[in-house]
């Protein structure tokens, strides 16, 4: 599997491209900004986007999804529990002084445990509310990979002071859904460096 993760936009959201080497099909996760750069990565690997997945509807993760869809025709998946945040896009833009992006309701709102399959790539959706009501992670067991959004960071956890946030639910989501994953699982968080489940279970001060 091809994996490219790039930090995009003012808030440096990690946008990840996962590509199947056989079928040349891809899923793009959190195309917040810098869509020309993301399209360049797809072109470099000769990949066709079949799915766009957004881990949660904060502006830095979702702002570019509509533009990427216009270029690729791929459906956009995110949890409809985050629609109140979509309705607040102008407010969100105001928090950071950003332009208000076009954000539409999801083409599909995946259920907890739902399988997302593109080419030979298979991921499972884990609903992990806390950072936002609709926050989700993508787990790829065959790749020992977790795309964690803003739920879990290297040495940190997502902020919960924004609307829809709950620290208690965030910690419960991490403990119940993420920490049981195998130690060697590579975690690609929504911002900052990668880590592993084993390291976070042993060392993350928010989970002590
Ligand atoms: Zn966020």
């Amino acid at each position: 599997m091809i994996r490219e993760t790039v930090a995009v936009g003012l808030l440096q959201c990690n946008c990840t491209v996962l590509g199947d080497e056989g079928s040349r099909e891809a899923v793009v996760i959190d195309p917040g900004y810098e869509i020309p750069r993301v399209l360049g990565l797809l072109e470099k690997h000769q990949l066709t986007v079949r799915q766009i997945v957004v881990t949660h509807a904060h502006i830095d993760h979702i702002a570019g999804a509509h533009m990427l869809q216009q270029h690729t025709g791929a459906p956009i998946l995110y949890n409809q529990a985050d629609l109140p945040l979509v309705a607040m896009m102008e407010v969100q833009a105001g928090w950071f002084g950003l332009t208000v992006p076009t954000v539409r309701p999801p083409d599909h709102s995946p259920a907890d445990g739902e399988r997302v399959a593109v080419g030979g790539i298979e991921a499972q959706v884990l609903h992990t509310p806390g950072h936002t009501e609709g926050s989700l992670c993508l787990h790829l067991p065959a790749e020992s990979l977790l795309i964690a959004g803003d739920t879990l960071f290297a040495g940190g956890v997502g902020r919960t002071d924004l609307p829809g946030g709950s620290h208690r639910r965030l910690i419960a989501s991490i403990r119940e859904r993420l920490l049981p994953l195998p130690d060697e699982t590579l975690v690609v968080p929504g911002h900052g460096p990668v880590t592993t489940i084993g390291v976070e279970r042993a060392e993350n001060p928010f989970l002590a």
Side-chain angles (χ1 to χ4, degrees):
M1 191 187 69
I2 297 157
R3 178 176 70 86
E4 292 262 17
T5 300
V6 289
V8 298
L10 179 73
L11 298 167
Q12 294 286 282
C13 163
N14 283 331
C15 171
T16 293
V17 174
L18 301 178
D20 178 54
E21 284 152 320
S23 65
R24 312 313 291 187
E25 295 183 312
V27 53
V28 177
I29 301 130
D30 286 351
Y33 287 94
E34 303 188 42
I35 297 308
R37 186 174 169 204
V38 175
L39 292 169
L41 287 175
L42 294 163
E43 195 176 337
K44 171 180 142 191
H45 294 290
Q46 298 176 298
L47 294 169
T48 302
V49 181
R50 296 295 186 207
Q51 309 254 28
I52 299 165
V53 176
V54 177
T55 59
H56 64 290
H58 278 154
I59 189 168
D60 49 328
H61 295 256
I62 203 170
H66 179 68
M67 187 186 285
L68 183 61
Q69 178 169 54
Q70 286 186 312
H71 279 91
T72 62
I76 298 173
L77 281 65
Y78 66 92
N79 192 316
Q80 62 188 3
D82 272 356
L83 281 174
L85 290 168
V86 173
M88 291 177 57
M89 209 43 71
E90 232 176 279
V91 177
Q92 290 200 48
W95 291 337
F96 308 109
L98 296 165
T99 309
V100 184
T102 299
V103 177
R104 297 248 167 88
D107 296 299
H108 176 62
S109 173
D112 181 45
E114 193 170 314
R115 188 171 145 271
V116 173
V118 167
I121 300 169
E122 283 215 25
Q124 191 188 23
V125 172
L126 303 177
H127 184 211
T128 52
H131 176 63
T132 70
E133 187 62 42
S135 282
L136 60 82
C137 299
L138 276 188
H139 181 221
L140 290 81
E143 307 288 339
S144 289
L145 176 66
L146 180 79
I147 308 292
D150 286 359
T151 296
L152 179 64
F153 298 118
V157 298
R159 62 187 287 185
T160 51
D161 56 326
L162 298 172
S166 160
H167 187 72
R168 186 186 56 78
R169 295 188 74 196
L170 176 81
I171 297 299
S173 286
I174 296 170
R175 286 193 184 287
E176 291 164 18
R177 307 306 304 278
L178 304 187
L179 294 191
L181 300 176
D183 278 4
E184 66 276 14
T185 306
L186 182 75
V187 178
V188 178
H191 302 267
V194 299
T195 181
T196 65
I197 288 293
V199 165
E200 295 312 309
R201 194 192 299 110
E203 297 175 10
N204 190 312
F206 296 89
L207 305 172

